[in-house]
Amino acid sequence: MAKSKVQEKTIEQPVDVILEEKAEYKTEKISIEDAAEKVIGYCQWAVGQDGCYIPTFTSTKSVPAGVYEIQRNNNGYFLQKQKVVLSDNILQLPIEQMQEILEDIENFWEMKDRFTKYKMVYKRGILLHGPPGCGKSYLMQNLINNIISKNGIVFSLNGETSVSFFTDFAQTFRTVEPDRPLVVIIEDIDNIVTAGQGLLSSLLNVLDGVNQIENVVYLATTNYPERLQDRISNRPSRFDRVYEIPHPSDEVREFYIRHKLHESDLKKIDMKQWVKETDGLSLSHIKELMVSTMILGKKFEDVISHFGEMKRPKSSRTTSTNKGLGFASKN
């Protein structure tokens, strides 16, 4: 007798995909919220081949929308949901590249039929590069908000292990949930490139090789684009668009300051001076400027001066001018 696809899948990986939140599992008889408060053990059978039945947990046909890390234990791979606070107040910075990216991705989700018509794999890849602290995180937060509102899933990859798990697990996820919108965020992809050819080859096979999946947007980031090879940074079908997110412009810095400070604070500062003196600084620097001046009560000029000191090259070989320290010091 021919075996069904369900049976074949079950015997190979009987508990390969489970939603685990602190060892608590979703059951169809209770809400997701209730499942978060209960621990459920073996309670049904997975059906294998040739009369094989494996004890297993209660199950769900689809995981809730959210951000997940792929993890693995003795039973195989599973999804660990991450705590993400969704907010309508995430800043949409007036950075032209960011607006273009968000619009491009929004349009992508509506164009599955066109990809099918031209027999193209339904996926997009976007690579972001630029100095740290300049807005890439805000873009990712907006993207996460957007995909979750569409009942989608986000996989967050931030190291060699998570990338390795994803390359092994991607096909399984698509088998279980073939039509689920998926965003895969690959942070600091330059670290993956330098980790070894085996891992990089596995990732490339998922991006546009024999193991690629559909209905997915890949968003990779790097602060060091010079470390990337052309087969990453100059290869459409892996990353179709490459954007630089530069240091924030005068407009972006003023926008950020006005939306982060209270109205009473804005009346106390010289906005033109703040915009001028923060030229070349990242949003992270500006955030620290606000913390130091408005919360810790430090002088604006002192904080700006400190930022200048931070830019200077640092070395453990710097010669100390304190001659009173050390065994060889003289009286």
Side-chain angles (χ1 to χ4, degrees):
M1 180 181 296
K3 307 297 188 302
S4 69
K5 292 183 179 179
V6 173
Q7 289 177 324
E8 292 176 359
K9 184 64 184 177
T10 303
I11 188 62
E12 290 173 0
Q13 295 171 310
V15 287
D16 191 46
V17 184
I18 54 175
L19 169 62
E20 178 176 297
E21 295 187 47
K22 298 180 180 178
E24 299 149 5
Y25 303 89
K26 162 79 168 53
T27 173
E28 294 180 356
K29 295 183 179 179
I30 62 175
S31 68
I32 295 172
E33 291 76 12
D34 290 340
E37 302 296 329
K38 299 181 179 181
V39 177
I40 303 174
Y42 293 130
C43 61
Q44 62 186 21
W45 299 98
V47 182
Q49 296 177 342
D50 301 325
C52 177
Y53 295 86
I54 305 102
T56 188
F57 305 98
T58 51
S59 60
T60 180
K61 292 183 178 180
S62 61
V63 296
V67 180
Y68 291 85
E69 285 188 0
I70 303 168
Q71 297 187 11
R72 185 175 65 185
N73 60 19
N74 292 335
N75 291 321
Y77 288 102
F78 63 90
L79 299 182
Q80 176 72 59
K81 191 174 185 183
Q82 305 300 295
K83 293 186 180 298
V84 176
V85 178
L86 300 180
S87 173
D88 293 330
N89 298 320
I90 295 176
L91 289 183
Q92 294 192 12
L93 299 170
I95 299 176
E96 181 180 354
Q97 300 93 320
M98 290 178 61
Q99 300 304 317
E100 182 178 341
I101 292 167
L102 291 172
E103 290 176 6
D104 186 31
I105 294 174
E106 182 69 22
N107 291 334
F108 168 79
W109 298 122
E110 307 298 327
M111 294 184 176
K112 183 175 183 178
D113 291 343
R114 295 189 183 184
F115 277 80
T116 302
K117 177 181 177 180
Y118 287 95
K119 299 181 179 179
M120 300 290 185
V121 179
Y122 183 43
K123 67 181 183 63
R124 295 294 281 169
I126 295 171
L127 175 63
L128 306 179
H129 67 93
C134 289
K136 295 189 290 294
S137 295
Y138 280 95
L139 173 61
M140 289 189 286
Q141 289 171 357
N142 276 284
L143 184 58
I144 289 171
N145 255 12
N146 178 272
I147 190 64
I148 291 178
S149 72
K150 297 179 182 298
N151 195 35
I153 298 295
V154 178
F155 287 160
S156 176
L157 313 182
N158 52 20
E160 295 178 33
T161 299
S162 60
V163 171
S164 176
F165 284 1
F166 172 72
T167 59
D168 290 342
F169 181 73
Q171 289 290 342
T172 300
F173 176 80
R174 265 294 166 251
T175 300
V176 177
E177 300 209 39
D179 301 316
R180 200 72 179 274
L182 174 65
V183 170
V184 180
I185 296 175
I186 310 172
E187 297 185 59
D188 300 321
I189 192 173
D190 50 285
N191 290 336
I192 306 305
V193 172
T194 58
Q197 290 301 311
L199 182 60
L200 178 58
S201 296
S202 297
L203 178 60
L204 296 181
N205 276 332
V206 174
L207 290 176
D208 75 340
V210 295
N211 293 323
Q212 62 187 325
I213 59 176
E214 298 197 71
N215 205 13
V216 59
V217 171
Y218 295 99
L219 180 68
T221 69
T222 179
N223 297 327
Y224 305 100
E226 66 276 6
R227 296 180 182 177
L228 302 180
Q229 304 167 4
D230 276 353
R231 58 178 173 167
I232 294 291
S233 60
N234 189 27
R235 180 69 179 271
S237 80
R238 289 174 180 168
F239 293 104
D240 312 292
R241 292 286 186 271
V242 179
Y243 294 91
E244 179 184 8
I245 308 297
H247 280 104
S249 64
D250 291 358
E251 177 190 7
V252 173
R253 297 199 307 280
E254 182 172 347
F255 178 92
Y256 184 77
I257 294 167
R258 289 191 181 279
H259 284 77
K260 285 294 185 179
L261 292 181
H262 293 292
E263 190 65 34
S264 58
D265 297 325
L266 294 173
K267 295 177 180 178
K268 299 176 184 178
I269 70 171
D270 183 341
M271 181 60 74
K272 291 184 178 180
Q273 181 190 22
W274 274 57
V275 172
K276 178 181 178 181
E277 295 294 336
T278 56
D279 184 29
L281 297 181
S282 69
L283 296 178
S284 297
H285 283 98
I286 298 173
K287 178 181 178 181
E288 173 56 25
L289 176 62
M290 291 186 281
V291 170
S292 292
T293 56
M294 299 301 166
I295 299 177
L296 301 180
K298 297 184 181 297
K299 293 182 178 180
F300 175 86
E301 294 78 8
D302 291 344
V303 180
I304 293 296
S305 177
H306 176 68
F307 288 157
E309 292 291 333
M310 290 175 65
K311 287 184 178 181
R312 293 184 179 181
K314 302 169 184 63
S315 172
S316 60
R317 295 180 177 274
T318 301
T319 303
S320 173
T321 57
N322 188 339
K323 298 181 179 181
L325 298 177
F327 292 108
S329 61
K330 297 180 179 179
N331 295 328

